[in-house]
Amino acid sequence: MEVDAPPFGDGPVRLWADERCVCIGTLSEVDGHTRVVVGSNIDHSNLALAFSGEIATPARRLVISDAELNTLIEVAVPAYLTNLSIWTNDAREPSMIAINVTDR
């Protein structure tokens, strides 16, 4: 399967986005697991905002996958455009990612 993804960079934050995709770095596999939670009213206390914006969801699904495109979480969304705010506990290798999903 071929997927168009935003170009990667080497900035201080490991997050890249375009109108269809948000890519975010996670904790290195040898250092442990990264917890990802998705919902419409996620508690993000003690986390820093890493991304806030709108993403195209023409299939009305938001899919969270790993780097090998294995689906980890899939959420139905009601619209073709979905607002996301992504909160993390570390800019480069977060062990916690909270994705708040809201309608346009």
Side-chain angles (χ1 to χ4, degrees), residues 11-94:
V13 177
R14 292 179 55 199
L15 186 138
W16 309 270
D18 66 16
E19 67 276 354
R20 297 181 320 252
C21 182
V22 178
C23 300
I24 187 164
T26 61
L27 187 65
S28 177
E29 183 178 10
V30 298
D31 292 329
H33 297 284
T34 297
R35 181 171 182 235
V36 179
V37 293
V38 180
S40 60
N41 194 17
I42 299 296
D43 177 23
H44 52 76
S45 56
N46 300 319
L47 301 176
L49 182 64
F51 174 84
S52 180
E54 191 173 74
I55 188 168
T57 50
R60 296 186 183 192
R61 295 178 310 132
L62 178 69
V63 177
I64 312 301
S65 63
D66 63 14
E68 296 172 347
L69 302 178
N70 298 305
T71 298
L72 305 175
I73 302 170
E74 187 170 334
V75 178
V77 294
Y80 294 110
L81 293 172
T82 301
N83 288 321
L84 298 179
S85 58
I86 301 175
W87 304 80
T88 66
N89 65 343
D90 188 84
R92 293 198 57 81
E93 290 194 10

